[in-house]
Amino acid sequence: MAASRHFPRTPFVLFVWVRFCVWRRQIRQLFESPAKLSLIVGVWLSLLVGVFALAYYGFQFVYDTAGLGPFLLSRLWFLFLFVIMILMATSHLASAFSTIVRTPETRWWITLPVSARTICRAKGFESTLYSAWAVVILLLPTCLAYVVVLKKPLWLVGWIIGVLLVPMLGIVTAFSTMVLLAWLRWARPLMIRREVAFVGLWIVSCLLFWLLGERQVERQQDVWFIALQELLPRMQVAMSMGWPSSWAATGIDAGMNGRWLEGSLYASLLWTTALLSWRILDHGAARWLFRVLRDVARPVDAASWASRPSSSPRLVPVWWMRRALFSSIAKDVLFVLRDPMQWSQGLLFFGLLGAYFGNLHRFGYAVAEPSWRIGIAALNCACTLLVFGSLAVRFIFPQMSLEGRALWLLRISPGGLSRQMVSKICLYGFLAVGIVDGLLLVSTGRLSIPSPIRLWLLGAGLISSLAIVGLSVGLGCLWIDPTAQDAARVVSSSNGAMALILMLAYVSCVVVGFVGFWLCWMHHSPTGLFGISLSLVGVSMFTGWVPMRLGLKRMERLE
Amino acid sequence: MIKAAGLTKRFGALVALEDFSIEIAKGEIVALVGPNGAGKTTALHLLVGLLTPTAGEVYLGDFHVMRQALEAKRILGFLPDQPFLYEHLTVEETLQFVGGIYQLDPEIWSLQAQRLAILFGLADKMNRRVNQLSYGMKSRLVLIATLLHQPQILILDEPFFGLDPQTLHLMKQHLRECVAQGMTVFLSTHQLSVVEDLAHRIAFLSQGRLVGLGTLKEMTQRHGSACLEDLFFQLTGSSSG
């Protein structure tokens, strides 16, 4: 120990220093395994190239629309950024909850002489980084494709991301954190019946879709034109100038068209609002932090559950399942049910999808020709799998690591760790097939899809959701981290990022399969349809089976 | 140094702690004992400001633990029942972090860290990562981190759990030295032999209520018990089996 060695003195710098030390070690560990590093880099590069290609051809398609291309492209940014903003705000709620409130680190920090402002600022930045890094990386190829399609200089990508999108994400995360703290501070009693909030949101969403929809009217116009006609009025919400996403979209449009004064003004507006939001979070919301952390202590949950014995579900063993496997599944079911973090996001996203699918008949797609309806159904299927895939990485992937300190018990039990893996596959596989195929049934029903196609989509949903479960559980076992106590940490680690990349890569393959299926249907090619079905089954079996086998081997080695 | 008056904590219908009052003087060691679920951890968490009391006040030194939180925490050292450590930091980096948080002078930090590391047998593991330490070593590191800034008040939740006899002996000896220099210690434990050996006064907690407080001699005489174990069963209503 060198006596003269100086170390950071202010708590915020100390926090950054600790993170730097931890990340440096993790990166160094990654460099010690060149195969893993090259795989991660390779998959990320392919993902970025894939996003670029998808965005490039999409932008080019819209840009080539006669007379309307540039106008539609600029409007598309409003919609795109609006969706990103809503998704970020929602996902940041969960990220901030686990990073600020749930982590034992914060519980330790509040026993140290560190001000609430410092904790709030440090944890706010940390949760923002966790929620925004992947969004920024995926926005990079999208912006690049946009600039290339419009034949503008490449440095404009820096302008879009660095000057416009970063402050936009900053505003969203600051407000989201404030909403979370305000909710925990003032609406804590409502947390007792969390289900009410989610069901309420679901009903509101249904109402919104019902209001946005319109009565079915027969039209003999071009399908693409009808879609545009119907899309534009509905974009009024997304195009409201009250949203930071609209300021960013206007700034992008101004920058692309050389209106630098306007672009700079919107950039200033974004940065000023971002700084102001963080200032409010820093000064205002931080005042509630200690109170929130003291109130959201674990004994509260324990006591609330203790005082509600009737809420505990009765899980009765079934004759057709082995008792030991039943015990493992029952443990997992109770774990999921009693931790709202495990099911709330799923309920929210699948609820929104369900509300949308349930109101599909009001959106005029039903009047369109069959191929268009089948395209929409395939798109819905891809969308459902994408949502399920990302939720699977967030919640199913860390399950085995979260067994943590209970691993000793599971390891010496007769069935061993491999039974835990089987139980997780059974439980999540059952849930996945129920949810995904349930949603697809609603979607295909509302779009009046012919029975053979409906069966094909349901089959594809079944195979893909099982493959996603296999991939998540398998990778979770393969890259198990028994020391982890927080799911967010498992997901944000390099292994978590890798799992997300592989998941996105698989879902991208499925989406490509759906596009191929749609094209084959339009061109009446049964051979093509057969080939695509076979490829989908092959890819899904490979994706689900290989990680499961590797995971099983890892479990056997652990035992 | 520690003053709690009428501390009450309710979690919904559950009363975890009721009307808990205690005053601990400078240089005194008070042990809090009670069966599992008696409210010991809740009491300690209320004392250090980890929980908001439903009623009552807490003062650490001259500082109100809620209203003057930063000042109170500067003179406090708290060892929770489930301590947190950064797994990827080394022992030295962990101690640097704690030193930085308490704004210790680097010279003083170095002397203190070195002294405590030698005392608790971690001097040769300063460059080892926390996730490479055994459970016992981690416990020692947590103790060093708690004592590093020489707190005036030490609140310990189950500090002797999992320690080997040698470390336990060292820990007791070090606590006695600290108390002789004016440190105030309030600890909760299930190890009655340590309580007998170390504590000046003993507080008995049962079902969230303080059911007895005093020296071992006073209490055994008052209740006609032969030893601390009998007294424990008598006051807490637990069965000795």
Side-chain angles (χ1 to χ4, degrees), chain A residues 196-210 351 355:
Chain A
V196 176
F198 286 107
V199 173
L201 184 69
W202 189 77
I203 292 170
V204 170
S205 311
C206 279
L207 199 67
L208 188 72
F209 286 122
W210 185 78

Side-chain angles (χ1 to χ4, degrees), chain A residues 1 3 5-7 9 14 17-18 21 25 29 105 107-114 294-295 297 299 303, chain B residues 11 49-52 66 70 73 84 86 88-89 93 96-97 100-103 106 109-110 114 126 129:
Chain A
M1 264 180 296
R5 187 169 169 179
H6 287 267
F7 43 84
R9 298 293 298 276
L14 268 167
W17 174 73
V18 165
C21 289
R25 294 238 155 78
Q29 265 178 0
E105 185 190 13
R107 305 282 303 157
W108 181 44
W109 274 58
I110 64 170
T111 66
L112 301 174
V114 183
R294 285 172 186 143
D295 288 351
Chain B
F11 297 113
L50 266 174
L51 287 172
T52 313
M66 293 287 161
L70 283 185
K73 284 171 196 168
F84 174 84
Y86 293 104
H88 284 281
L89 292 193
E93 284 166 349
Q96 280 180 347
F97 173 74
I101 288 287
Y102 284 99
Q103 299 186 332
W109 169 83
S110 181
Q114 215 155 8
M126 295 303 273
R129 261 188 250 167

Side-chain angles (χ1 to χ4, degrees), chain A residues 463 506 532-544:
Chain A
I463 291 167
Y506 169 67
I532 282 168
S533 309
L534 211 62
S535 312
L536 192 65
V537 171
V539 169
S540 300
M541 280 184 71
F542 179 79
T543 309

Side-chain angles (χ1 to χ4, degrees), chain A residues 111-123:
Chain A
T111 66
L112 301 174
V114 183
S115 68
R117 272 183 65 188
T118 306
I119 299 179
C120 196
R121 197 186 303 164
K123 290 302 210 172

Side-chain angles (χ1 to χ4, degrees), chain B residues 20-34:
Chain B
F20 179 83
S21 299
I22 197 166
E23 274 191 55
I24 304 174
K26 190 176 177 183
E28 195 180 12
I29 303 181
V30 177
L32 181 66
V33 293

